[in-house]
Amino acid sequence: MKRFGQLERIRRLDPVADALEIYRISVSLEFPWDYTRALELALYRTYAVPSIGRLLARTAELTERTQKRYDDTALLLDAVLEHGFAAEQGRTAIRRINQMHRSYDISDDDMRYVLSTFVVVPRRWIDTYGWRRLSRHEIIATTEYYRTLGRHMGIPDIPRTYEEFEALLDSYEEAHFGWDEEARRVSDATLGLMASWYPRPLAPLLRTVTLALLDEPLLRAFRYPKPGAAATALVRRAVRTRGRLVRLLPPRRSPHFARQNREIKGYPDGYRVADLGTRPVPGLRGCPVRHRDASAADPVE
């Protein structure tokens, strides 16, 4: 297959009717490393909304069981991507996601914002650091994929287009990003987890590298010192250079899913999708405060 063969294949598909197939090609064949990094960043930036960061801190999942929470989130989303919305594993993954979310008092506005990060952040990351920019077909397909996921999660008033998702993300962050001590603990735990994937002596360097990839609103919200201009430029240039080198490589022939990532460390003997995630205990750590109706408990048929 030619280097742009998958893109040609994508352009022959319908970006709405074939949204799942297009998104799966883009994530697992064209940009598996980039999507992993971009979705990590998408979830990470939600901590800067105090209502989200505080809740995550109080559940203690991201401060005391950081690796497990990382693994479970990646694997649940991965199951939907790999198997689809109608397959048993995809339906089970969505059911587990909904069972966890409905145990807490999460506003619809926060849910829509989190969904928007999955749509917008990967596009911005790949257009900046990927080996090529996302095509319009991929942008539309990604939007449709997450609109479908959002409907399965019972989220109301989902944006209809990429541009609406982007406007929602930017306006929500401008209005809600801010300092919160508990959210900062979640952020520190996440940065510590990422550093733990590499030899310990590299931890300070990796922290600097990560901070250099964050934008100023995130740095301000968490009150992190801004890395020097030279360090920031060097890090970002290095990631862009990686993208240019990937462009010269032969195209990937077999899909790579999140379950194959080296960062997933909690299930060396395998896992069942139905066992992933948490099972909040009523009365502990803010659970449950409010239950959603049945439409949010199970996938949409």
Side-chain angles (χ1 to χ4, degrees):
M1 179 176 287
K2 297 179 295 183
R3 191 68 184 95
F4 288 86
Q6 295 293 357
L7 179 58
E8 293 172 5
R9 176 185 170 193
I10 286 170
R11 286 173 170 161
R12 291 193 295 268
L13 297 171
D14 184 289
V16 176
D18 301 315
L20 172 60
E21 183 176 358
I22 291 173
Y23 185 62
R24 187 184 288 139
I25 293 170
S26 189
V27 173
S28 67
L29 287 166
E30 294 286 78
F31 304 102
W33 185 87
D34 293 283
Y35 265 104
T36 296
R37 303 287 82 79
L39 290 173
E40 288 170 352
L41 178 59
L43 287 169
Y44 175 81
R45 70 186 302 113
T46 68
Y47 311 162
V49 175
S51 58
I52 298 174
R54 279 196 301 267
L55 175 60
L56 292 171
R58 290 168 186 173
T59 68
E61 294 299 324
L62 274 166
T63 53
E64 297 179 11
R65 294 173 289 278
T66 317
Q67 182 69 61
K68 184 180 188 307
R69 174 60 189 262
Y70 175 91
D71 292 350
D72 288 357
T73 300
L75 293 173
L76 286 168
L77 293 173
D78 188 61
V80 182
L81 171 68
E82 183 172 2
H83 301 285
F85 297 101
E88 180 180 356
Q89 291 205 58
R91 290 170 60 85
T92 299
I94 295 172
R95 187 174 297 110
R96 288 296 304 124
I97 292 169
N98 288 335
Q99 287 168 345
M100 290 183 286
H101 284 163
R102 74 169 188 244
S103 297
Y104 299 96
D105 189 13
I106 306 172
S107 72
D108 291 331
D109 287 342
D110 279 354
M111 292 289 283
R112 274 189 297 272
Y113 165 65
V114 174
L115 191 68
S116 76
T117 67
F118 295 160
V119 176
V120 177
V121 174
R123 192 266 175 101
R124 290 178 173 176
W125 173 279
I126 290 170
D127 282 1
T128 303
Y129 300 116
W131 66 269
R132 65 168 174 81
R133 297 170 67 89
L134 286 182
S135 68
R136 188 62 188 172
H137 263 50
E138 288 168 301
I139 294 167
I140 295 172
T142 299
T143 302
E144 289 301 314
Y145 177 87
Y146 281 107
R147 278 174 49 79
T148 301
L149 180 61
R151 290 194 295 271
H152 280 284
M153 295 173 65
I155 302 174
D157 303 322
I158 299 171
R160 294 168 297 173
T161 66
Y162 173 84
E163 288 72 22
E164 289 181 6
F165 271 110
E166 188 170 47
L168 185 156
L169 180 140
D170 290 336
S171 63
Y172 207 75
E173 292 184 349
E174 183 177 0
H176 294 282
F177 266 16
W179 164 255
D180 184 89
E181 186 175 353
E182 292 180 280
R184 169 64 185 258
R185 288 198 296 111
V186 175
S187 173
D188 287 341
T190 301
L191 296 180
L193 171 68
M194 293 177 178
S196 75
W197 296 332
Y198 303 92
R200 182 169 296 182
L202 295 178
L205 174 62
L206 291 167
R207 184 182 176 89
T208 299
V209 167
T210 303
L211 293 179
L213 291 171
L214 303 183
D215 53 68
E216 288 194 27
L218 268 178
L219 293 171
R220 286 198 303 270
F222 292 126
R223 296 184 181 175
Y224 287 131
K226 184 179 178 181
T232 298
L234 179 63
V235 169
R236 296 183 179 188
R237 189 178 303 119
V239 182
R240 289 191 187 97
T241 299
R242 177 205 166 271
R244 295 190 183 100
L245 293 175
V246 171
R247 187 186 181 101
L248 301 177
L249 298 176
R252 179 179 293 277
R253 295 184 177 276
S254 59
H256 180 95
F257 294 100
R259 58 180 171 76
Q260 299 167 288
N261 289 346
R262 62 181 298 275
E263 295 87 359
I264 304 294
K265 298 181 179 296
Y267 300 97
D269 300 319
Y271 60 92
R272 293 175 65 248
V273 173
D275 295 333
L276 296 174
T278 62
R279 284 166 174 77
V281 178
L284 294 181
R285 291 171 172 163
C287 164
V289 178
R290 183 188 68 180
H291 289 284
R292 295 177 178 272
D293 59 28
S295 65
D298 294 295
V300 175
E301 300 294 343

